[in-house]
Amino acid sequence: MDLHDTRFLQREPLNQSLAERQAQLAAIAAELKTELFGIDEVIDRVIESVRAWYVLPEIIKRPVIFCLWGLTGTGKTQLTRALTHKLGFYDRFVEVQMDGFSWATTTSSTRRCRARRTSA
């Protein structure tokens, strides 16, 4: 091994960055579990599903979409909104409600758009 070869020295900042993002994600999961009761397992599954995207954002070429479904009042919307705030991505967050309305959230405004239903 050549001691002047810098390829190996560049890994340290990357490893540190990965470790920091992993720690941030773990802290966010812990915060969510204190704020949202009874859905710890769901929080763990959502955190796992966004882990690669959050820890290695350089590999993402398309928007990240995740879909939660379940009974009304179980915390899906609250979990999603809280997670995007804690990750610092609420300015890039678009929420679509499948109840006939769409809520598009941007940094400058929140607007409500009536979804048009076509009759068959």
Side-chain angles (χ1 to χ4, degrees):
M1 179 172 98
D2 183 4
L3 295 177
H4 300 289
D5 190 354
T6 60
R7 289 180 297 165
F8 300 106
L9 298 177
Q10 294 173 358
R11 289 185 183 175
E12 186 59 35
L14 177 62
N15 288 341
Q16 183 178 357
S17 174
L18 293 175
E20 288 172 2
R21 286 187 163 266
Q22 291 274 26
Q24 288 171 344
L25 207 51
I28 289 169
E31 286 178 35
L32 289 170
K33 289 177 183 179
T34 63
E35 296 170 8
L36 305 170
F37 302 103
I39 60 170
D40 289 2
E41 188 176 313
V42 174
I43 292 169
D44 289 337
R45 288 172 53 194
V46 169
I47 292 294
E48 276 307 309
S49 68
V50 300
R51 182 175 306 283
W53 160 76
Y54 182 70
V55 174
L56 293 169
E58 299 84 16
I59 66 171
I60 303 302
K61 302 292 183 208
R62 298 181 200 149
V64 175
I65 299 171
F66 62 96
C67 179
L68 302 176
W69 67 93
L71 296 173
T72 302
T74 56
K76 301 175 299 292
T77 302
Q78 193 169 355
L79 170 60
T80 305
R81 288 176 182 165
L83 179 61
T84 55
H85 273 289
K86 291 179 186 306
L87 291 174
F89 294 124
Y90 204 71
D91 61 335
R92 295 171 257 170
F93 171 70
V94 176
E95 176 184 336
V96 178
Q97 295 280 340
M98 300 306 290
D99 63 354
F101 294 94
S102 295
W103 292 85
T105 306
T106 64
T107 52
S108 60
S109 67
T110 301
R111 58 182 187 254
R112 182 175 172 182
C113 306
R114 181 94 167 132
R116 296 182 185 201
R117 296 184 184 188
T118 57
S119 51

